[in-house]
Amino acid sequence: MGLFKKLITAVRGGAREVGEAVVDMNAIRIYEQEIEDAKNNLARAKQDLTAVMAKEMQAEREIKRLADELVKYEGYALDALSKGHEDLAQEVAEKIAEIETEQDSQKAAREQFVAHTRRLKSIMKQTEGTIRQHERELAMVRTTESVQKATRSISDNYGAGATRLLDAKASLERIKQRQQTHYDRMDAASSLDAEIGSESLEAKLKGAGIADAEKAGSDVLARLKRKAAVN
Amino acid sequence: MPSLKTLMQGVGALDEETRKGADFDIQPLPGDDEVIQVIINGQEELPVFVTASDSQILCICYLWGEDEIEADAKLELLEAMLDMNIPMPLSSFGRIGNKYAVFGAISVHTTAIEIAHELATLSDNAVDAIDALSEFLR
């Protein structure tokens, strides 16, 4: 939100000095620094996450191993009891209590790792959001600046003289005129095509002796001879 | 990511069929090669200016200045422009300083064919927009 509002104020303010920044450089530097920091935090959080998830998996494996141990020693204890080795059963029971204590502490550690993972993931999500927002806002500032820079170049080039941009109506008029000329030419060309087409039809007819054929020299001579005979 | 200049050279090198009949005269603006001027044949009066920022390429075609708008028609004109903004293909209305424009924004990760399509559409939109909205102009 921050830069968006600043941009609106800056752009709506309109008449600013040529070359003046849209948003002061300090604000931009702060944003860039924040993006940089956020990216570093994100990279660190990703590393931490990998480490914590590895520890979580380790704890998980250890819990599983201890559970297997428990089953095994409980079997031993029951065996010892059934065979009347009360003392041995007592010893095994102590071992079982030890394993259970170890298992409890592993479970507590696993809970901590799970919570840590959750916290890191939420931090990463938040950080990614911050980066996205800052980058979008910076893109807006940069775009505004490059448009203003382009506008200055364009008005420098089209400021005056022969290359001056016309007003909208005059431009439209000229474009329409040019299009009309283009269409007229196309019309002329197509009627010319039609004429040439009909000429070629006539030629075909003549060729087939249907329309008036070209007068041949021999025909003329024959006519002249007939005329001479009459006289 | 190719530079704007490379992309625009690509536009210039497209064959006629890909350009769908539009001929482009592509020149960097003298003194500023970050702005490229494109003139589309038959519509020389409405050049398109192309410039790029970090994330997008902007194609801009100026329409009219604030001073060309009929004195009491501005609100109606702005409303008509807002209404037309969504249906107008690939372009939007905008204002830069005191000049109104149509523009199109494309990701910098684009192709010459996309740019050519954008340029031709933008130029046609500009002509159509002036034609359609000229009743609000002096």
Side-chain angles (χ1 to χ4, degrees):
Chain A
M1 231 299 278
L3 278 189
F4 204 120
K5 237 183 174 163
K6 279 188 182 178
L7 259 188
I8 291 179
T9 318
V11 171
R12 287 200 58 92
R16 282 189 332 280
E17 292 297 308
V18 168
E20 191 184 331
V22 183
V23 171
D24 71 287
M25 273 315 290
N26 230 3
I28 290 181
R29 264 196 294 274
I30 291 170
Y31 263 72
E32 282 173 339
Q33 191 53 50
E34 279 179 22
I35 292 175
E36 197 54 36
D37 291 349
K39 281 184 172 167
N40 288 338
N41 287 343
L42 191 62
R44 207 171 313 124
K46 268 183 186 160
Q47 272 178 356
D48 289 354
L49 184 65
T50 320
V52 173
M53 282 171 85
K55 282 184 188 159
E56 186 188 323
M57 280 157 68
Q58 252 169 25
E60 192 68 56
R61 264 200 308 275
E62 189 59 15
I63 290 164
K64 176 86 177 50
R65 190 186 65 81
L66 292 169
D68 291 346
E69 290 274 279
L70 275 181
V71 171
K72 191 172 81 184
Y73 279 100
E74 272 175 12
Y76 292 158
L78 289 172
D79 260 7
L81 278 178
S82 70
K83 287 175 180 159
H85 299 296
E86 187 87 13
D87 288 355
L88 199 54
Q90 174 65 36
E91 219 172 299
V92 176
E94 270 160 26
K95 174 78 179 165
I96 289 174
E98 228 172 80
I99 294 172
E100 281 179 343
T101 311
E102 170 66 11
Q103 201 185 33
D104 284 348
S105 81
Q106 284 295 341
K107 277 183 180 167
R110 183 188 59 187
E111 289 319 305
Q112 267 187 0
F113 294 141
V114 167
H116 197 172
T117 303
R118 208 178 298 132
R119 209 163 45 241
L120 279 174
K121 279 185 177 165
S122 115
I123 288 173
M124 282 165 65
K125 213 170 181 173
Q126 231 176 331
T127 311
E128 276 163 348
T130 309
I131 294 172
R132 206 169 54 236
Q133 191 194 338
H134 281 9
E135 282 185 335
R136 186 176 49 80
E137 289 181 320
L138 268 188
M140 279 171 49
V141 173
R142 295 240 163 83
T143 302
T144 310
E145 282 181 340
S146 69
V147 167
Q148 294 198 332
K149 190 166 168 288
T151 308
R152 275 199 296 279
S153 295
I154 293 161
S155 56
D156 285 352
N157 272 279
Y158 282 86
T163 53
R164 205 181 142 74
L165 287 174
L166 294 169
D167 67 46
K169 276 191 163 173
S171 297
L172 181 68
E173 206 47 54
R174 284 214 199 171
I175 290 168
K176 277 186 164 174
Q177 239 170 39
R178 195 176 301 117
Q179 277 175 353
Q180 195 53 53
T181 313
H182 180 67
Y183 292 143
D184 289 349
R185 272 201 204 129
M186 290 214 312
D187 279 353
S190 68
S191 58
L192 198 63
D193 273 354
E195 267 175 43
I196 290 168
S198 66
E199 267 174 24
S200 73
L201 176 64
E202 227 147 88
K204 277 188 214 159
L205 287 170
K206 277 180 191 166
I210 294 171
D212 284 346
E214 298 281 342
K215 300 241 185 324
S218 56
D219 293 342
V220 176
L221 187 61
R223 196 182 67 215
L224 289 175
K225 278 183 177 166
R226 275 200 304 277
K227 216 173 180 179
V230 171
N231 294 338
Chain B
M1 186 174 76
S3 73
L4 180 63
K5 229 172 170 178
T6 316
L7 269 173
M8 294 308 290
Q9 276 164 357
V11 175
L14 290 174
D15 60 36
E16 184 138 18
E17 200 181 331
T18 326
R19 287 184 271 120
K20 298 198 173 78
D23 288 329
F24 302 113
D25 175 16
I26 300 169
Q27 304 282 348
L29 263 196
D32 185 355
D33 57 4
E34 286 173 46
V35 182
I36 293 173
Q37 173 191 274
V38 181
I39 289 173
I40 288 125
N41 64 320
Q43 292 169 187
E44 285 82 350
E45 288 75 11
L46 296 170
V48 177
F49 299 101
V50 185
T51 187
S53 68
D54 291 2
S55 52
Q56 53 186 354
I57 294 170
L58 286 175
C59 306
I60 299 167
C61 183
Y62 290 101
L63 298 173
W64 53 76
E66 206 73 72
D67 55 348
E68 290 173 58
I69 302 172
E70 284 284 1
D72 47 4
K74 185 163 170 176
L75 181 62
E76 228 178 317
L77 170 66
L78 293 180
E79 283 184 338
M81 287 164 74
L82 266 185
D83 292 338
M84 286 311 297
N85 225 13
I86 293 177
M88 186 162 54
L90 297 182
S91 317
S92 309
F93 286 111
R95 184 174 66 172
I96 303 161
N98 59 359
K99 279 202 169 304
Y100 289 79
V102 277
F103 74 96
I106 326 174
S107 156
V108 285
H109 309 282
T110 190
T111 61
I113 294 176
E114 295 295 326
I115 298 182
H117 185 43
E118 172 68 45
L119 290 170
T121 311
L122 185 68
S123 181
D124 291 345
N125 283 339
V127 176
D128 282 356
I130 297 174
D131 198 11
L133 298 169
S134 61
E135 58 176 303
F136 303 113
L137 303 175
R138 279 194 235 273

